[in-house]
Amino acid sequence: MAIDLKTLSPKELQSLIVNAEAQMQEAKSSQIQNIRQKIDALLNSAGLTLADVYPTRGGRVGAKAGKRTVAPKYRNPEDPSQTWTGRGKRPLWFVAALKKRGVTAESLLIDGASVKKAGSAKKAARKATRRKVKHR
């Protein structure tokens, strides 16, 4: 059943492409279902589960299972329900507050929160390394 593509009109070619893509999707779905059945049969015959064969790293189940929530550092003085952890993009209320005269990031801190300057940990590590090199 060879088809001479040169003799087909653009409309016929488009129809052929659509039908071929649909057939490809069906074939792929069928292949996946067939492979799953074979894997399930193998696992059942061995008395194993997929989790036994492919355990997750560190016992985590999902990608977000290991993420921890971070306590907020900043609070909007005009609406105390709005807070920001200091991570990610600055919220609009934070940017607007900083534009006001006399308002600094430190003045928006929640009691007990501290501001760490970016790179301060890196600088401290570099200094410690330099000291070790000098004392050798």
Side-chain angles (χ1 to χ4, degrees):
M1 181 186 143
I3 299 173
D4 186 12
L5 298 176
K6 293 180 182 177
T7 61
L8 297 177
S9 69
K11 193 173 187 178
E12 291 171 326
L13 284 170
Q14 189 62 38
S15 175
L16 183 65
I17 291 169
V18 169
N19 290 337
E21 286 175 347
Q23 185 63 36
M24 176 66 94
Q25 193 64 29
E26 281 183 40
K28 192 169 188 169
S29 295
S30 176
Q31 181 185 25
I32 290 170
Q33 185 176 7
N34 189 10
I35 296 293
R36 281 184 180 161
Q37 289 172 352
K38 288 179 182 178
I39 291 171
D40 287 341
L42 275 171
L43 290 172
N44 288 336
S45 68
L48 298 171
T49 65
L50 197 57
D52 294 333
V53 178
Y54 295 108
T56 57
R57 288 188 191 164
R60 288 189 273 161
V61 177
K64 295 202 176 209
K67 287 198 172 189
R68 295 186 176 115
T69 58
V70 179
K73 285 186 179 180
Y74 302 97
R75 177 169 282 125
N76 184 354
E78 295 175 9
D79 183 2
S81 68
Q82 293 179 329
T83 59
W84 179 48
T85 62
R87 295 184 177 185
K89 188 176 178 182
R90 292 178 172 188
L92 295 176
W93 64 261
F94 188 84
V95 174
L98 290 179
K99 289 180 181 176
K100 294 179 183 175
R101 176 172 276 173
V103 177
T104 63
E106 289 78 22
S107 68
L108 298 174
L109 279 173
I110 296 174
D111 294 334
S114 63
V115 176
K116 290 183 182 176
K117 292 191 177 185
S120 62
K122 288 181 182 178
K123 287 179 185 176
R126 271 192 244 129
K127 280 185 179 180
T129 305
R130 286 183 193 148
R131 284 187 209 130
K132 288 178 186 176
V133 172
K134 286 181 182 178
H135 292 294
R136 285 187 184 172

